[in-house]
Amino acid sequence: MTTPEKETSDFIRNIIKEDIREGRFGGRVHTRFPPEPNGYLHIGHAKAIVLNFDVAAEFGGLCNLRFDDTNPSKEDVEYVEAIQRDIRWLGYDWGDRLYFASDYFEQLYEFAVQLIKEGKAYVDDLSPEEIREYRGTLTEPGKESPYRNRSVEENLDLFERMRAGEFPEGSRVLRAKIDMASPNLNLRDPVMYRIMYVTHHRTGDKWCIYPTYDWAHGQCDSLEGITHSLCTLEFENHRPLYDWFLDQLGIHHPKQIEFARLQLNYTIMSKRKLIRLVEEGHVSGWDDPRMPTLSGMRRRGYTPEAIRNFCNRIGVAKSNSVVDYGMLEHAVREDLNARAPRAMAVLRPLRLVIENYPEDRVEEIELPVYPQDKSRTETRVVPFSRTLYIEQDDFAEVPPPKYRRLSPGREVRLMGAYYVTCTDVIKDEATGEIIEVRCTYDPETKGGQSPDGRKVKGTIHWLSADHAVPAEIRLYDKLFLKENPEEVDEEGADFTSNLNPNSLEILTNAFVEPELANAEVESRYQFLRHGYFCVDPDSRPGRPVFNLTVSLRDTWAKISS
RNA sequence: UGGGGUGUCGCCAAGUGGCUAAGGCAGCGGACUUUGAAUCCGCCAUUCGUAGGUUCGAAUCCUACCACCCCAGCCA
């Protein structure tokens, strides 16, 4: 288990410290994570989750989970369940503070009535197209709607009838009466309610008018007593509107602070685009191990601790930045290096026969499970015999410069077992492909050291052919070829044209240690000299399936290329 | 051409007028090594978007300019 970064400091925490020092909100800190249940959570959401929950915990406060379910046409219970599962998996607990914007629909309606009564909101009969035209542009002010100055009584009556279902969808809206000439377009009489004859996943058919996010969000935060509403940069322009609503209503006024959302290179984060990957079959589902979703990363083998550490390490600021994917990989390696048990796996097998080793002999080789940690003494047993599998890459008939693995005439160590020297190479006569390597072993080198003190340059892993367990191993590479998947070569193409055709490679002829035959789903291992792997739910007894989480750093790859 | 933001090392990111501009990732050396892993040591911004100015002193203050992001959904 890695220890979380301590002393994280960023502009948001600085503001909160200042607020506490000055006694704002009575020294209280209460945050919330407010997802819309219209998709699965991804690593970008993790940044917001970690921020909100950690900040609350650090300052002795609480963090709520609230679903902003104001648009039933896009939302579904499937998502509200998946989201809760993912947040729990990440390691966070909202106690009994699970809320829904829809819990507040009645209260929001009353707030709206209050604004109407004060002449601060009105029912508008303009069509959507007309509203757009009347809004004006970035450089020109808008025009006031002809319905803007209806009487309070008429507005009250109309609004009530909107709720009663007397008008067709899209025919009327409730708008705030603010300023059609404001340079901030959000203040040009924003829509508060729209008519939608859509069944809501929680309120059923109780409502046919639904609040917009802009109208609902700030009041929901207020009702929950939120002190610090942390949100992403694009809502900075909306803050004056949220402030206006809260001030008109005269209710608790949380402080909104905006930060930059997470962007990762070689990755897309937009929910709309992730949905496309799923629906168009570019990936197997939301939990495809190549997806940046939390469920995908979980299946891939990422740990909650690694993700949390990553989130704390990238910091929180206001500049639009793109984090290098390597940072994420570093975070998993760091965590898994410390805690993953080691095992040997041969991904692309090559037979190795030890000519001077007895035909029927089987030895039990004892190897440490956590060799990287001298304080741990657990061991495992791996059978050794005359015929082994080694990695194809660990033999070279003509060794390249600096190669220290097996080649004709050379001696290497079979990890934990014996020194072997290559005596011969057997090839397929037709294709010339190497199908077997012949060796002799030195019986004096049992355990991997020689009494005469001679050194070998290389140590390779191995598996006894008769004992190895067949396994399927799925290797993953980046889902996209470009750092910025949106950057497209040809006109008319979109991000899918940058999909990496080799992002998944399935090895069906791999082998693992006998002990792993029935490894538990989601358990993680380091396959020595390869990387970290995680047991996939597709595993069957006696035929486990492993997903590559992340490979080990590979300096040989740099040297050899 | 309106408004709101942001610009510090290849990538994140501290820094809020005064010791030699934190730290992490990546990279590069070297030590160690029964994982070409891990670990350990060392190197890696005379410079803070640009140009001026204020000051004994500026990444931090002022002025102008430049670049990038967000806003014209009855999405969130």
Side-chain angles (χ1 to χ4, degrees):
Chain A
M1 186 85 80
T2 49
T3 51
E5 297 303 272
K6 51 272 174 191
E7 280 181 56
T8 29
S9 169
D10 52 67
F11 82 102
I12 290 179
R13 278 174 248 249
N14 290 343
I15 289 171
I16 293 176
K17 278 177 210 151
E18 179 77 9
D19 286 344
I20 291 172
R21 194 177 314 124
E22 294 180 1
R24 247 186 292 265
F25 305 115
R28 216 162 48 82
V29 174
H30 203 326
T31 59
R32 102 268 95 128
F33 174 62
E36 183 190 16
N38 68 344
Y40 280 67
L41 259 24
H42 54 62
I43 182 73
H45 293 111
K47 174 178 179 178
I49 294 167
V50 169
L51 209 216
N52 277 294
F53 278 93
D54 282 4
V55 157
E58 281 166 40
F59 295 99
L62 296 168
C63 179
N64 297 354
L65 171 59
R66 183 183 66 245
F67 286 96
D68 271 334
D69 54 351
T70 55
N71 185 355
S73 66
K74 294 189 173 176
E75 297 152 8
D76 196 280
V77 281
E78 175 199 353
Y79 298 125
V80 344
E81 281 157 15
I83 288 169
Q84 294 185 64
R85 193 162 57 233
D86 287 343
I87 300 173
R88 277 201 202 91
W89 174 75
L90 245 198
Y92 294 103
D93 181 11
W94 51 90
D96 58 357
R97 298 175 316 284
L98 168 63
Y99 302 113
F100 292 82
S102 53
D103 294 341
Y104 310 117
F105 280 177
E106 194 63 52
Q107 174 68 254
L108 255 9
Y109 180 85
E110 277 158 33
F111 280 149
V113 168
Q114 183 185 334
L115 292 188
I116 293 172
K117 286 181 177 164
E118 292 170 8
K120 292 164 182 166
Y122 63 98
V123 173
D124 196 351
D125 301 357
L126 252 26
S127 69
E129 299 71 43
E130 290 169 320
I131 287 185
R132 185 172 359 99
E133 286 161 21
Y134 276 62
R135 186 153 29 226
T137 69
L138 294 178
T139 51
E140 305 156 32
K143 284 186 299 188
E144 296 188 350
S145 165
Y147 304 98
R148 196 175 199 256
N149 294 309
R150 292 218 247 230
S151 69
V152 168
E153 293 66 35
E154 190 183 4
N155 280 320
L156 247 18
D157 175 62
L158 253 15
F159 187 47
E160 208 169 288
R161 290 163 63 195
M162 277 171 64
R163 175 178 183 171
E166 289 186 28
F167 309 121
E169 205 161 280
S171 61
R172 288 187 160 91
V173 292
L174 183 74
R175 293 230 250 170
K177 192 192 280 191
I178 309 180
D179 177 8
M180 288 308 290
S182 172
N184 181 342
L185 306 218
N186 294 122
L187 263 20
R188 320 245 260 228
D189 292 11
V191 171
M192 296 165 64
Y193 277 95
R194 63 299 208 184
I195 300 170
M196 295 171 94
Y197 292 96
V198 175
T199 304
H200 188 282
H201 55 101
R202 298 202 92 230
T203 60
D205 293 318
K206 183 177 180 198
W207 295 88
C208 64
I209 56 171
Y210 290 99
T212 58
Y213 174 87
D214 273 353
W215 164 239
H217 191 80
Q219 282 62 254
C220 292
D221 280 352
S222 173
L223 259 6
E224 289 177 19
I226 299 305
T227 57
H228 299 269
S229 301
L230 313 182
C231 65
T232 45
L233 253 27
E234 65 271 29
F235 295 106
E236 206 155 19
N237 293 329
H238 297 239
R239 182 161 21 102
L241 171 59
Y242 303 160
D243 288 343
W244 187 88
F245 281 138
L246 263 5
D247 291 342
Q248 300 309 313
L249 260 12
I251 55 180
H252 167 68
H253 196 144
K255 177 185 279 193
Q256 172 171 305
I257 308 171
E258 307 85 8
F259 63 92
R261 59 164 30 142
L262 170 65
Q263 300 186 79
L264 260 185
N265 57 11
Y266 298 103
T267 308
I268 55 166
M269 222 69 100
S270 126
K271 274 192 215 172
R272 223 190 66 74
K273 286 170 185 151
L274 292 175
I275 284 178
R276 272 193 62 194
L277 292 180
V278 173
E279 288 180 347
E280 293 176 14
H282 296 113
V283 296
S284 63
W286 286 103
D287 68 343
D288 185 298
R290 293 166 292 181
M291 290 284 271
T293 52
L294 294 183
S295 51
M297 294 175 71
R298 174 180 184 174
R299 188 167 176 186
R300 176 85 175 252
Y302 274 79
T303 60
E305 291 79 2
I307 293 174
R308 280 191 255 128
N309 267 158
F310 167 76
C311 290
N312 280 314
R313 205 121 49 170
I314 55 175
V316 181
K318 295 193 71 159
S319 66
N320 276 304
S321 54
V322 181
V323 175
D324 193 294
Y325 199 85
M327 288 255 215
L328 226 201
E329 295 190 322
H330 169 80
V332 233
R333 287 197 185 102
E334 177 183 59
D335 187 30
L336 260 16
N337 172 55
R339 60 209 290 217
R342 313 286 129 129
M344 292 191 286
V346 175
L347 272 41
R348 297 176 177 87
L350 171 62
R351 281 167 65 87
L352 180 150
V353 177
I354 305 170
E355 295 174 319
N356 59 340
Y357 193 88
E359 199 84 55
D360 53 356
R361 187 161 162 203
V362 177
E363 284 184 81
E364 295 202 323
I365 303 291
E366 196 176 10
L367 290 163
V369 180
Y370 301 101
Q372 85 289 1
D373 183 347
K374 278 131 231 136
S375 68
R376 295 253 236 157
T377 56
E378 297 96 317
T379 58
R380 67 192 202 275
V381 165
V382 187
F384 183 89
S385 67
R386 176 182 161 94
T387 304
L388 308 172
Y389 290 131
I390 63 166
E391 211 64 63
Q392 286 171 18
D393 282 352
D394 287 340
F395 176 80
E397 191 177 16
V398 182
K402 300 206 172 138
Y403 190 76
R404 29 179 173 165
R405 282 110 97 153
L406 198 61
S407 54
R410 287 211 198 166
E411 185 172 48
V412 298
R413 171 166 39 230
L414 295 175
M415 191 180 289
Y418 294 99
Y419 287 6
V420 290
T421 303
C422 176
T423 54
D424 200 6
V425 185
I426 298 175
K427 296 181 183 174
D428 181 299
E429 287 184 14
T431 64
E433 180 195 0
I434 298 169
I435 53 176
E436 187 175 299
V437 173
R438 311 291 288 193
C439 289
T440 56
Y441 85 115
D442 177 354
E444 298 299 306
T445 57
K446 177 152 191 189
Q449 55 223 313
S450 73
D452 64 10
R454 75 178 186 277
K455 302 281 190 218
V456 286
K457 287 152 287 181
T459 301
I460 66 175
H461 59 277
W462 50 272
L463 247 21
S464 167
D466 287 343
H467 307 268
V469 170
E472 175 175 322
I473 293 183
R474 299 174 181 169
L475 301 179
Y476 299 100
D477 198 353
K478 299 192 162 68
L479 228 201
F480 292 95
L481 294 167
K482 290 196 175 168
E483 275 202 43
N484 175 8
E486 307 293 353
E487 184 192 305
V488 147
D489 290 327
E490 292 161 43
E491 233 176 283
D494 65 10
F495 68 100
T496 58
S497 66
N498 289 322
L499 248 1
N500 176 3
N502 304 312
S503 59
L504 168 62
E505 182 182 6
I506 300 177
L507 303 176
T508 52
N509 192 31
F511 294 94
V512 297
E513 288 182 19
E515 232 181 39
L516 272 50
N518 299 302
E520 198 182 326
V521 169
E522 242 176 66
S523 56
R524 306 175 183 90
Y525 296 88
Q526 183 197 99
F527 288 163
L528 289 151
R529 306 207 301 130
H530 283 302
Y532 300 94
F533 290 80
C534 182
V535 180
D536 191 87
D538 288 347
S539 297
R540 294 291 165 264
R543 187 171 167 86
V545 175
F546 293 90
N547 292 317
L548 170 66
T549 307
V550 65
S551 63
L552 255 23
R553 290 185 61 204
D554 189 358
T555 48
W556 168 241
K558 285 173 197 159
I559 297 168
S560 59
S561 66

